[in-house]
Amino acid sequence: MQDDSEVHNDIAKSQLRTLLGSLIDDVLLEINHDMTIMHSNAAGISLLGDDLIGSDLCQRLTYTDLKDDFHSAIATKKIVEFTTTPSGFSVANRFRQLRGRMLYLDETTVIVLLMDMTLQHNLEKMRRDFIANVSHELRSPLTSLIGFVETMQGSDDMETQTRDRFLGIMADEAKRMSRLIDDLMSLAKVENEEHIAPMARVFIENIVQSVIVSLTRRVQETGREIIFTDRRNYTDQAPIILGETDAMTEVFHNLIDNAIKYSFPESTISVDMLTNNANDTLTINITNHGEGIEEKHIPRLTERFYRVDKGRSRQMGGTGLGLAIVKHIINKHRGELIITSTLNEKTVFSVILPLAQ
Ligand code: ADP
């Protein structure tokens, strides 16, 4: 027969289970003092396996000091915190970061709460990587600038020709830093405002045409040409999207500029406009003929600072941020960017945008 305090304890436990069972993301386990798992909410079963109940907690988590900490939670009756990953070889779990808390409940039970911190952990890592990348990208032109300044300071009788060459390099490095800062500011702005869908009605063809005109001289200097073709079935009405003119100009400027940079000399860059009546979207394909992009790089191209060939991108004045900016602007416009490439043949960047009603 249970006495009153035991009955009271059972009711409290059952209420606790009901309450904590409703936790959707966090795992709640009831553990015997010999570390056997006695009860789990649904989140625990889905994270740690169907055969969880009756197993040893130490076999489910990789934390090496778990046993010592568990006994210390019982001895001190204080909350003990730890971080761990789930055991096992599943790829999803291997990179999962859990924050755990152990709490003495009564003479038979310890409560273990596990919170999934993977997202926060990954965001924190992305933030650290980003700062490291920005510092690196700014440091290399700065180091070069300082080097030239010191060389020039140390030589009173430098030939005019050498001096002009050095000043030319210094100007290029300064411009590179300036471009990088402009791109970083652009990226920060569009990331902050990505959730606000633009409402202005804009004639997208005018934007594309004016970007082409602004790049004409550069294209002609390199012996290339850009051909714009309206391939829509019904061409009587100019297509209108809900958008921001400046942001869309940046998208097409970046994509057509890349098409010029990464295409064979004297090749043709095609800009084609099509509509899909089934889902009321407009597609603008920018096609260039060049070395192309290996399949494995394609999903990563819109990551900040990701370049297939870092040296080549730098040499052509790239910052590695162009496609990241493009992707965020297209997201803001509720559109899609699709990249396809055939090595040594052609690369197509397709911008798909919803048409305004
Ligand atoms: P970058 O400033 O280096 O051009 P982007 O973000 O614009 O940075 O592009 C990232 C990388 O994607 C480039 O470094 C290049 O390797 C690749 N890339 C972009 N556009 C093209 C293209 N049209 N053809 C081939 N490769 C491209």
Side-chain angles (χ1 to χ4, degrees), residues 179 183 254-263 286-294 297 300-310 312-314 316-326 339-341 346-349:
R179 263 198 313 273
D183 277 358
N254 274 325
L255 294 180
I256 300 174
D257 188 53
N258 276 349
I260 301 169
K261 283 196 300 195
Y262 300 106
S263 58
I286 296 138
T287 308
N288 71 272
H289 299 270
E291 285 169 23
I293 311 164
E294 262 185 84
H297 297 295
R300 302 200 57 193
L301 289 183
T302 54
E303 286 176 20
R304 299 181 278 195
F305 295 116
Y306 190 86
R307 291 116 147 182
V308 175
D309 180 341
K310 221 169 196 164
R312 186 163 172 214
S313 149
R314 281 230 182 91
M316 284 189 287
T319 60
L321 292 174
L323 290 182
I325 296 171
V326 165
I339 309 169
T340 52
S341 189
K346 64 173 186 179
T347 299
V348 186
F349 281 77

Side-chain angles (χ1 to χ4, degrees), residues 6 15 54 61 67 96 117 139 164-165 175 179 191 193 198 205 220 250 258 262 277 301 312 315 321 330 353:
E6 280 172 331
Q15 284 173 339
L61 303 174
K67 207 172 212 155
R96 221 180 266 276
M117 305 302 286
R139 204 178 46 198
D164 287 350
R165 193 166 58 81
K175 280 186 209 150
R179 263 198 313 273
E191 275 185 335
E193 295 169 1
E205 183 180 340
Q220 284 169 349
E250 197 163 356
N258 276 349
Y262 300 106
N277 294 333
L301 289 183
R312 186 163 172 214
Q315 190 198 337
L321 292 174
I330 293 176
L353 296 165

